[in-house]
Amino acid sequence: MTKLLSVPADSSLANCHPFPKEDIVNSCVTQPIAPNNEQDCLALYDDQDRQLMQLASAAKMRGADRIEEIVRFVSTAGLQKVGIAHCVAMNREANALEQRLQQTVEVAKVDCKICRIPAAALVEGDRGISCNPVGQAALLAEQGTELNIAMGLCLGHDMLFAKHSRAPVTTLAVKDRVHGHNPIKGLE
């Protein structure tokens, strides 16, 4: 099994954050960034990363919702084709997103049950039809998408989709069966 990477608490990168200390939420434990640590953090960004940060910054707009910011990002970046990878339970919402995006860009959309793989073929003892996040990523790559939007993919499946996606991935909604796909409610 692949070990997930994390930043150790004593790492020079552990205290890197993009906001001035006074802007950090009070409950966030922070320390001032020493100049050499800031340089270490900045060195992590290549030209492509910096371009993505610039595009993301240009897409932000006070009063805009996440969908509008995605539309602004796509427009600012000059993207031609966007992919939507969604849970079948969010078919209605994925169709609405597709219609909204199609006003400005070509869209490829795929639900999680692509290929209808028996669940037991991937996870011993599982029943029914499995989600197929790797298949979703492969289909969208085949379609030549330049940005992929994840909508309501299960925990783990979202990770596999992002791992296998050839295009950058942004998440519009995550699956949360208790809180109506708004997991932040679980923190209130």
Side-chain angles (χ1 to χ4, degrees), residues 127-182:
R127 299 183 317 209
I129 301 300
S130 179
C131 296
N132 184 5
V134 176
Q136 288 176 295
L139 183 126
L140 293 177
E142 187 179 290
Q143 294 291 315
T145 59
E146 300 166 283
L147 172 70
N148 291 328
I149 302 168
M151 286 188 69
L153 302 183
C154 296
L155 177 67
H157 301 177
D158 54 354
M159 295 175 216
L160 285 170
F161 176 72
K163 175 184 175 184
H164 291 276
S165 179
R166 288 196 191 147
V169 176
T170 190
T171 301
L172 181 60
V174 296
K175 178 158 293 179
D176 187 317
R177 294 168 183 93
V178 173
H179 299 292
H181 310 299
N182 181 8

Side-chain angles (χ1 to χ4, degrees), residues 18-38:
F19 309 107
K21 186 174 179 181
E22 59 273 8
D23 290 347
I24 299 296
V25 177
N26 291 336
S27 64
C28 181
V29 178
T30 63
Q31 296 175 3
I33 299 174
N36 64 333
N37 287 346
E38 182 177 329

Side-chain angles (χ1 to χ4, degrees), residues 14-65:
N15 294 315
C16 291
H17 52 78
F19 309 107
K21 186 174 179 181
E22 59 273 8
D23 290 347
I24 299 296
V25 177
N26 291 336
S27 64
C28 181
V29 178
T30 63
Q31 296 175 3
I33 299 174
N36 64 333
N37 287 346
E38 182 177 329
Q39 291 306 310
D40 290 344
C41 289
L42 289 172
L44 296 172
Y45 291 85
D46 64 20
D47 289 341
Q48 190 176 22
D49 296 332
R50 288 173 181 267
Q51 181 182 19
L52 185 60
M53 292 292 287
Q54 198 169 24
L55 291 168
S57 181
K60 288 189 284 188
M61 187 174 86
R62 186 174 297 276
D65 65 16

Side-chain angles (χ1 to χ4, degrees), residues 24-142:
I24 299 296
V25 177
N26 291 336
S27 64
C28 181
V29 178
T30 63
Q31 296 175 3
I33 299 174
N36 64 333
N37 287 346
E38 182 177 329
Q39 291 306 310
D40 290 344
C41 289
L42 289 172
L44 296 172
Y45 291 85
D46 64 20
D47 289 341
Q48 190 176 22
D49 296 332
R50 288 173 181 267
Q51 181 182 19
L52 185 60
M53 292 292 287
Q54 198 169 24
L55 291 168
S57 181
K60 288 189 284 188
M61 187 174 86
R62 186 174 297 276
D65 65 16
R66 179 65 177 237
I67 296 168
E68 182 58 32
E69 286 187 344
I70 291 170
V71 169
R72 289 172 54 86
F73 180 91
V74 168
S75 175
T76 303
L79 303 181
Q80 302 297 311
K81 195 165 193 177
V82 173
I84 301 171
H86 67 95
C87 171
V88 293
M90 289 196 171
N91 202 39
R92 183 176 52 85
E93 292 85 353
N95 287 339
L97 178 62
E98 179 182 34
Q99 288 177 0
R100 178 126 176 233
L101 292 174
Q102 282 178 333
Q103 296 171 15
T104 57
V105 69
E106 187 178 349
V107 178
K109 180 170 60 86
V110 59
D111 72 52
C112 61
K113 300 299 183 179
I114 183 174
C115 299
R116 300 194 50 80
I117 298 172
L122 290 173
V123 178
E124 188 177 331
D126 267 10
R127 299 183 317 209
I129 301 300
S130 179
C131 296
N132 184 5
V134 176
Q136 288 176 295
L139 183 126
L140 293 177
E142 187 179 290

